[in-house]
Amino acid sequence: NAGVTQTPKFQVLKTGQSMTLQCAQDMNHNSMYWYRQDPGMGLRLIYYSASEGTTDKGEVPNGYNVSRLNKREFSLRLESAAPSQTSVYFCASRGYTYEQYFGPGTRLTVT
Amino acid sequence: AQKITQTQPGMFVQEKEAVTLDCTYDTSDPSYGLFWYKQPSSGEMIFLIYQGSYDQQNATEGRYSLNFQKARKSANLVISASQLGDSAMYFCAMSAKGGTSYGKLTFGQGTILTVHP
């Protein structure tokens, strides 16, 4: 039982490059979330998916797209990376209770 | 819109003493949940404790307790008998409990706790 897994753990991109962050959970949770954490700050919600087949914007969605591929997987895509997207990205999932389970994070640097 | 404010950028405590980390919130939702997370230097987010807005009693989980004062809109975390391993960043967060906002967490900026031996 791995919980929430994220790949990659680290990534360096040049401005304008694209990439997809992968997230998977094995807890059969309906809801999944993507957050970003900038240095010295709390997490901010980028996008979320309340259930398979649905996605919606969070607080800071600009520059990102998401795909809820199936119940297990929720990916985050940066189409044209910018230095302002340098951050640590966390994926989380939630079942029927209040608790969100977080993945280990992806540290992304855009130069 | 929801807002979480943590006014203590850093706190220091002696090992085995108790410490209180402050959190105030603002929301127009009638039903909501309040959370505390710990983030050690390794970076993972560890769930500590949860309080529902309609819960009659303050939540407790081992050495963690949440001092919930609804009228003051505060949800302070109390750590008793601090240990060196408690040194970390602590985040207060909240979520509405109904409608499309259910489960979407809003975080404060965090408080860095340092436990001295």
Side-chain angles (χ1 to χ4, degrees):
Chain A
N1 189 338
V4 180
T5 57
Q6 293 183 236
T7 54
K9 286 187 168 50
F10 301 93
Q11 184 72 47
V12 179
L13 291 178
K14 292 189 183 334
T15 298
Q17 288 185 317
S18 63
M19 79 160 295
T20 300
L21 281 64
Q22 306 286 355
C23 174
Q25 51 91 9
D26 62 2
M27 296 173 282
N28 201 36
H29 286 169
N30 284 323
S31 303
M32 297 186 73
Y33 307 83
W34 276 106
Y35 295 88
R36 62 177 285 175
Q37 183 180 23
D38 298 326
M41 295 184 66
L43 282 67
R44 290 183 293 168
L45 183 65
I46 305 171
Y47 270 94
Y48 68 101
S49 170
S51 61
E52 186 179 354
T54 69
T55 61
D56 209 343
K57 296 177 181 179
E59 182 186 352
V60 288
N62 290 348
Y64 304 96
N65 285 301
V66 290
S67 295
R68 183 74 182 266
L69 304 169
N70 47 55
K71 193 170 186 180
R72 289 188 63 248
E73 298 171 290
F74 188 37
S75 62
L76 178 72
R77 183 160 178 85
L78 287 70
E79 291 291 352
S80 179
S84 61
Q85 294 178 303
T86 293
S87 192
V88 179
Y89 291 84
F90 287 96
C91 177
S93 71
R94 183 180 63 83
Y96 293 109
T97 68
Y98 51 78
E99 186 174 348
Q100 284 193 27
Y101 295 81
F102 284 83
T106 294
R107 189 173 295 273
L108 175 67
T109 302
V110 183
T111 61
Chain B
Q2 301 171 337
K3 186 176 180 181
I4 294 281
T5 302
Q6 295 180 253
T7 57
Q8 305 156 315
M11 289 284 287
F12 296 88
V13 66
Q14 209 68 29
E15 195 178 9
K16 300 179 185 176
E17 306 246 313
V19 63
T20 297
L21 305 183
D22 294 342
C23 172
T24 58
Y25 63 91
D26 193 22
T27 182
S28 56
D29 294 301
S31 180
Y32 50 89
L34 295 153
F35 304 75
W36 278 91
Y37 283 86
K38 173 183 178 182
Q39 187 177 46
S41 57
S42 51
E44 71 266 35
M45 296 292 289
I46 301 169
F47 167 75
L48 294 178
I49 196 166
Y50 167 83
Q51 176 85 40
S53 59
Y54 289 111
D55 292 345
Q56 294 296 315
Q57 295 194 325
N58 286 346
T60 60
E61 290 284 350
R63 293 186 300 111
Y64 305 108
S65 60
L66 199 152
N67 184 0
F68 180 47
Q69 299 188 45
K70 194 170 183 178
R72 293 187 176 185
K73 294 190 174 180
S74 74
N76 298 340
L77 176 71
V78 180
I79 305 174
S80 63
S82 297
Q83 302 172 355
L84 296 178
D86 293 335
S87 294
M89 176 76 92
Y90 288 81
F91 290 103
C92 181
M94 74 178 303
S95 166
K97 288 183 73 175
T100 58
S101 294
Y102 188 29
K104 293 160 59 178
L105 290 173
T106 299
F107 285 82
Q109 290 193 302
T111 296
I112 299 176
L113 176 66
T114 303
V115 181
H116 289 303

